[in-house]
């Protein structure tokens, strides 16, 4: 029994070395599904509109996720991967359009329209205010109708019936 | 007595009139913006519902194959061209793959050119598909999905037939089965072409 005891430090040393090697190599589980999905959820496959890549179950989307996994394992950054997908499949694969060039209109247009709407609203409110200020503050009294005229009108109305 | 004359240009515009003019301009601008947005929306809807291009001149494009060689459709005038959109993930594409390759081998020396456009695919899977079906005709990825957008494809497989003069002679949606591709090619080869 005692002669096997010398193996214990040897085994411990072996375990420690394995741990060191693993730590040097980084996380052996990388890239995990979560790592892949961080990027996948920023993409939409053109084959499956309205379904983000991270939850899409088609074969095309599965292939794309495998591609992302491979690129992450090869040390690509998130920006590099997204650029690659835009180059290969067009800008429409991005969940959020880029804030540059023509697509920046997607971001600018709502702001421009809101400002324009506020401007028009202000102008309308101002014009109403002006119209209100010009309106007479009291009713203008009409001159009294002489009794003889009133009698004549009544007479004519009765004749009509 | 002197008659007083006033220059109409110097007459100050009343405040109410100024406000009214500005309001009119604002209304016109708002109307134009809304009309522009509606036109954009309508154009998008129309484009989506238009379907594939199937007549007129075939939209021109350049395609670089998986080996790095580039061709341009307009350079193939005088030949019958078959453009097939496919993808490795497309199960129905598999149904026609062997027939396409067989037909290509049958007609390749008779003035017929086949182009495979790989749609929304990954390179590795596409090359595996090409190897699996031993595809030898010109095949390349649709980089940026530019070609598929030009032809407004709705899915894969879709096959477009181009006559010798560069005009589109129809589109087949879905997989091809014998002898439909043969029949189309025979008809298109029979069309006269100056100098051909």
């Amino acid at each position: 029994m005692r002669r096997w005891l010398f193996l214990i430090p040897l085994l411990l040393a072996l375990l420690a070395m394995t741990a060191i090697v693993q730590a040097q190599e980084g996380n052996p589980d990388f890239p995990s599904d979560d790592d892949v999905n961080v990027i996948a959820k920023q993409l939409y496959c053109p084959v499956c509109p309205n379904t983000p890549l991270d939850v899409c179950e088609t074969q095309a989307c599965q292939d794309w996720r495998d591609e992302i996994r491979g690129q992450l394992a090869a040390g690509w950054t998130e920006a590099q991967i997204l650029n690659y997908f835009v180059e290969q499949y067009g800008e429409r694969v991005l969940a959020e359009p880029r804030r540059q060039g023509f697509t920046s209109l997607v971001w600018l247009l709502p702001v421009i329209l809101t400002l324009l709407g506020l401007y028009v609203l202000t102008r309308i409110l101002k014009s109403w205010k002006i119209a209100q200020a010009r309106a007479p503050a009291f009713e203008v009294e009409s001159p009294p109708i002489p009794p003889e005229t009133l009698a004549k009108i009544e007479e004519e109305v009765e004749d009509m019936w | 007595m002197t008659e007083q004359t006033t220059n109409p240009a110097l007459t100050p515009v009343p405040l109410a009139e100024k406000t009214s003019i500005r309001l009119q301009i604002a209304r016109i601008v708002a109307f134009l913006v809304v009309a522009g947005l509606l036109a954009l929306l309508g154009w998008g809807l129309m484009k989506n519902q238009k379907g594939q291009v199937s007549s007129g001149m075939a939209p021109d494009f350049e395609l670089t194959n998986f080996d790095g060689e580039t061709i341009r459709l307009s350079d193939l005038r005088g030949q019958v061209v078959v453009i097939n959109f496919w993808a490795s993930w497309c199960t129905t594409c598999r149904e026609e793959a062997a027939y396409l390759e067989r037909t290509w081998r049958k007609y390749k020396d008779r003035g017929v050119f086949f182009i495979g456009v790989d749609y929304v695919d990954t390179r590795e899977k596409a090359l595996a598909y090409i190897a699996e079906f031993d595809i030898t005709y010109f095949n390349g990825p649709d980089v940026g999905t530019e070609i598929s957008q030009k032809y407004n494809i709705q899915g894969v497989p879709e096959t477009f037939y181009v006559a010798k003069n560069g005009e589109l002679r129809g589109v087949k949606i879905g997989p091809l089965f014998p002898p439909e591709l043969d029949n189309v090619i025979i008809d298109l080869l029979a069309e006269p072409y100056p100098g051909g």
Side-chain angles (χ1 to χ4, degrees):
Chain A
M1 178 70 185
R2 206 181 288 167
R3 62 181 175 174
W4 295 106
L5 281 177
F6 79 97
L7 282 176
I8 292 171
L10 202 67
L11 278 170
L12 286 173
L14 206 68
L15 279 172
M17 275 172 66
T18 314
I20 289 166
V21 167
Q22 272 196 356
Q24 280 175 341
E25 283 181 350
N27 182 359
D29 296 331
F30 183 82
S32 66
D33 285 349
D34 288 343
D35 296 321
V36 171
N37 284 339
V38 165
I39 296 169
K41 72 180 173 193
Q42 298 176 56
L43 296 167
Y44 278 77
C45 160
V47 183
C48 331
N50 308 322
T51 313
L53 187 61
D54 59 328
V55 293
C56 183
E57 290 304 321
T58 62
Q59 185 59 49
C61 291
Q62 183 58 52
D63 291 350
W64 277 28
R65 286 197 294 270
D66 288 345
E67 185 96 344
I68 294 171
R69 193 183 301 278
Q71 289 165 338
L72 282 171
W76 289 32
T77 64
E78 187 177 309
Q80 282 175 320
I81 295 171
L82 291 175
N83 279 339
Y84 169 82
F85 275 87
V86 169
E87 275 171 26
Q88 286 299 308
Y89 310 110
E91 207 155 302
R92 64 182 170 151
V93 301
L94 289 176
E96 266 190 28
R98 286 183 165 160
R99 295 171 197 211
Q100 61 188 42
F102 183 72
T103 46
S104 58
L105 276 179
V106 174
W107 300 98
L108 286 174
L109 224 54
V111 179
I112 293 169
L113 286 178
T114 308
L115 290 175
L116 199 72
L118 283 174
Y119 175 74
V120 172
L121 197 68
T122 316
R123 301 306 308 177
I124 290 170
L125 288 176
K126 263 189 184 172
S127 74
W128 283 354
K129 219 173 172 181
I130 289 167
Q132 215 171 20
R134 287 179 159 199
F138 50 87
E139 285 286 314
V140 178
E141 259 182 52
S142 50
I145 304 167
E148 57 272 22
T149 314
L150 205 62
K152 202 176 177 188
I153 292 169
E154 278 175 359
E155 199 179 300
E156 280 182 8
V157 169
E158 269 173 27
D159 283 350
M160 278 171 70
W161 294 103
Chain B
M1 253 176 67
T2 54
E3 204 177 310
Q4 271 194 328
T5 52
T6 50
N7 183 352
L10 295 175
T11 312
V13 180
L15 181 67
E17 203 176 317
K18 264 189 191 170
T19 312
S20 168
I21 292 167
R22 282 183 189 160
L23 198 63
Q24 287 286 15
I25 291 170
R27 277 180 189 156
I28 290 167
V29 170
F31 173 78
L32 287 176
V33 169
V34 172
L37 284 173
L38 285 175
L40 202 66
L41 190 73
W43 176 75
L45 284 172
M46 269 176 64
K47 198 176 167 233
N48 269 351
Q49 290 185 343
K50 204 171 65 179
Q52 300 84 348
V53 287
S54 55
S55 58
M57 288 303 285
D60 199 17
F61 62 85
E62 253 188 17
L63 180 70
T64 302
N65 70 5
F66 290 105
D67 297 324
E69 296 165 45
T70 302
I71 53 143
R72 177 174 278 278
L73 179 66
S74 51
D75 292 341
L76 301 171
R77 292 278 192 280
Q79 296 185 73
V80 169
V81 182
V82 175
I83 306 166
N84 175 252
F85 289 87
W86 65 278
S88 68
W89 43 261
C90 155
T91 45
T92 44
C93 296
R94 295 179 166 271
E95 293 173 22
E96 65 172 10
Y99 175 49
L100 267 168
E101 177 59 24
R102 214 165 51 240
T103 315
W104 158 244
R105 291 185 189 191
K106 189 171 166 185
Y107 293 98
K108 66 178 178 180
D109 299 322
R110 299 193 220 170
V112 179
F113 198 86
F114 274 38
I115 302 173
V117 184
D118 184 23
Y119 174 70
V120 186
D121 211 346
T122 55
R123 185 183 167 85
E124 195 186 330
K125 293 279 168 77
L127 290 174
Y129 180 96
I130 288 170
E132 182 185 339
F133 291 99
D134 194 20
I135 295 169
T136 56
Y137 54 86
F138 196 91
N139 246 298
D142 183 13
V143 178
T145 62
E146 281 177 15
I147 305 171
S148 45
Q149 284 184 59
K150 277 184 178 176
Y151 282 75
N152 209 22
I153 70 162
Q154 307 295 304
V156 278
E158 280 185 20
T159 308
F160 294 78
Y161 310 115
V162 184
K164 292 178 204 170
N165 62 1
E167 278 180 16
L168 271 172
R169 286 283 191 273
V171 52
K172 162 77 190 207
I173 298 161
L176 292 157
F177 295 103
E180 57 183 319
L181 185 55
D182 292 82
N183 292 343
V184 174
I185 290 173
I186 289 165
D187 285 349
L188 292 179
L189 280 174
E191 283 186 14
Y193 184 72

